[in-house]
Amino acid sequence: MQFNLRQTFTIFFQKKRILLALSGVTLLFLHTGCHSESLDQKRSDAPSESSVQKPALKIADWRYVEEVVADNQGKIVVVDLWSTSCPPCLREFPDLVTLQKEYPTEVLCVSFNCDYFGGKNYPPEYYRKPVEKFLTEQKAYMRNIISNVPAEELFPTLDLASMPATYVYDRQGKLAKRFDNERREYGKEGYTYQRDVIPFVESMLKTDALKQ
């Protein structure tokens, strides 16, 4: 039996090409699989929108706030009136959150949103999504309320001209102080939590501690 040397080399190289092609396909498949697994892992590690804890949010009036204050006697209650259209309110809001985190058992912070202005096509529920988004970003895990009374009706009943405003109630449920800037006593920029509200609350806590 005679062997054709050229034919033998041709067959050898053809088999080699096939093996190289198969190897290339296998490596491509493995690389694609690993890459896909890596992307899947990244997706699973990234927090989904549904997994982010949203702060509780209730639609109610000021009477509900008074009920909350009455039900939490024994704690100092801080009620913050704010709006997403009020820059000073938004600037101070993180310090309200900080106050709640600093004194989780002795102080109860309540955010009372006043975005609702009484428009026929914009009921209080309309503001839930943007308010909830802001509260989630701020991690405001406290009592959060959207007013169901238009601001122009609410403010006269509170003898209040505008926001921001912060009400501080003592442990007996009585109003200890209202922070606003209607008389310009806090200067042009108004009161702040760091300079005014938090020191006032802490002084109340110290006074209560001395009485015990």
Side-chain angles (χ1 to χ4, degrees), residues 57-62 65 79-86 89-90 93 96 110-117 123-135 142-151 154-155 163 165:
L57 183 58
K58 184 180 180 66
I59 296 177
D61 58 16
W62 190 256
V65 174
V79 183
D80 188 277
L81 277 72
W82 67 285
S83 169
T84 57
S85 60
C86 169
C89 301
L90 302 182
F93 200 94
L96 174 70
V110 180
S111 78
F112 191 79
N113 176 269
C114 299
D115 277 9
Y116 176 54
F117 67 94
E125 186 65 34
Y126 173 83
Y127 300 94
R128 179 181 290 275
K129 191 171 182 178
V131 170
E132 191 175 68
K133 181 177 183 295
F134 176 78
L135 294 173
M142 60 181 78
R143 292 290 186 95
N144 299 295
I145 305 164
I146 293 179
S147 175
N148 60 9
V149 177
L154 172 67
F155 288 178
M163 294 174 289

Side-chain angles (χ1 to χ4, degrees), residues 76-77 166-179 200-201 204:
I76 294 173
V77 181
T166 300
Y167 291 70
V168 181
Y169 297 86
D170 64 19
R171 294 183 187 274
Q172 289 71 46
K174 295 180 180 179
L175 181 63
K177 187 172 181 61
R178 185 179 85 178
F179 290 88
F200 180 77
V201 171
M204 293 176 68

